[in-house]
Amino acid sequence: QQPVQSPQAVILREGEDAVINCSSSKALYSVHWYRQKHGEAPVFLMILLKGGEQKGHDKISASFNEKKQQSSLYLTASQLSYSGTYFCGTFGEGAQKLVFGQGTRLTINP
Amino acid sequence: KAGVTQTPRYLIKTRGQQVTLSCSPISGHRSVSWYQQTPGQGLQFLFEYFSETQRNKGNFPGRFSGRQFSNSRSEMNVSTLELGDSALYLCASSFARANGLINEKLFFGSGTQLSVL
């Protein structure tokens, strides 16, 4: 079952913060985050495993709330290079495939 | 190390025709997954191959098929093309383990843009 991402699109000014949410109706084993710039291949950001962990590098971090079957991606002090479409992918219990959400389009303006 | 290579980059076909897309994974990667990307639909999972066997399949009609060769290269075939098959087809490779991709990073190719007229 496809996870639901929110918001579908967001426009920010450089330096502002953004939060992208990913929700599933099923219990999850892991949540994967990817970013795709226009005309390019999706690029891996991070994986969060069951256990309610939080991860981050540079100014991009994420949390995974196992009980709520939710993950959130946090982009702080956004830079122009953060623009793109962000996808979350989930592995649900009993599932053997990585299912992606519909994506969140992030636009960072100067 | 070379990345994931997909060929051709662009394809234009007419309804009813069939098409074969190719994907060469990163050297040493044993898993290849295929996704269909259309505006607003995100990445729809087609299938995953591991060591020449289809390990998982998405909810696509039987017109969509694939295979993986002993060198891990993979092909995807779509028969009797329909207008709705127009999309960007992405393949992704992963080193993978026998127990699946739960904790595996995917490396995507740039995709094949298929237009069906």
Side-chain angles (χ1 to χ4, degrees), chain A residues 2 29-30 32 34 36 39 41-42 44 47 49 87 91 96-98 100-102, chain B residues 9 35 37 40-45 56-58 101-106 108-109:
Chain A
Q2 188 177 29
Y29 276 134
S30 65
H32 304 223
Y34 287 78
Q36 184 179 32
F44 172 82
I47 296 173
L49 300 176
F87 292 97
F91 257 102
Q96 296 295 319
K97 55 193 179 187
L98 184 59
F100 285 95
Q102 80 279 20
Chain B
R9 187 71 179 89
Y35 287 87
Q37 185 174 24
Q41 291 298 314
L43 301 165
Q44 301 289 315
F45 175 77
N56 293 293
K57 190 176 188 309
L101 303 178
I102 288 176
N103 190 19
E104 294 287 343
K105 174 180 175 180
L106 297 184
F108 282 87

Side-chain angles (χ1 to χ4, degrees), chain B residues 45-100:
Chain B
F45 175 77
L46 282 154
F47 24 66
E48 184 219 350
Y49 286 87
F50 177 76
S51 294
E52 300 180 67
T53 301
Q54 187 181 85
R55 187 157 63 172
N56 293 293
K57 190 176 188 309
N59 299 322
F60 278 80
R63 300 185 296 107
F64 292 81
S65 63
R67 58 178 175 169
Q68 187 180 33
F69 302 95
S70 58
N71 61 357
S72 292
R73 190 177 72 85
S74 178
E75 286 183 348
M76 190 191 106
N77 185 275
V78 188
S79 63
T80 321
L81 284 166
E82 300 178 359
L83 295 178
D85 296 335
S86 294
L88 179 66
Y89 290 87
L90 293 163
C91 90
S93 76
S94 172
F95 179 74
R97 302 181 187 93
N99 64 346

Side-chain angles (χ1 to χ4, degrees), chain A residues 10-54:
Chain A
V10 58
I11 301 174
L12 297 174
R13 289 197 178 275
E14 200 173 4
E16 293 182 333
D17 300 340
V19 180
I20 299 171
N21 299 303
C22 175
S23 297
S24 174
S25 58
K26 292 192 170 185
L28 300 175
Y29 276 134
S30 65
V31 179
H32 304 223
W33 286 97
Y34 287 78
R35 175 173 65 205
Q36 184 179 32
K37 293 182 179 289
H38 183 69
E40 298 181 10
V43 173
F44 172 82
L45 292 175
M46 63 189 80
I47 296 173
L48 299 102
L49 300 176
K50 181 177 175 178
E53 63 174 335
Q54 186 147 356

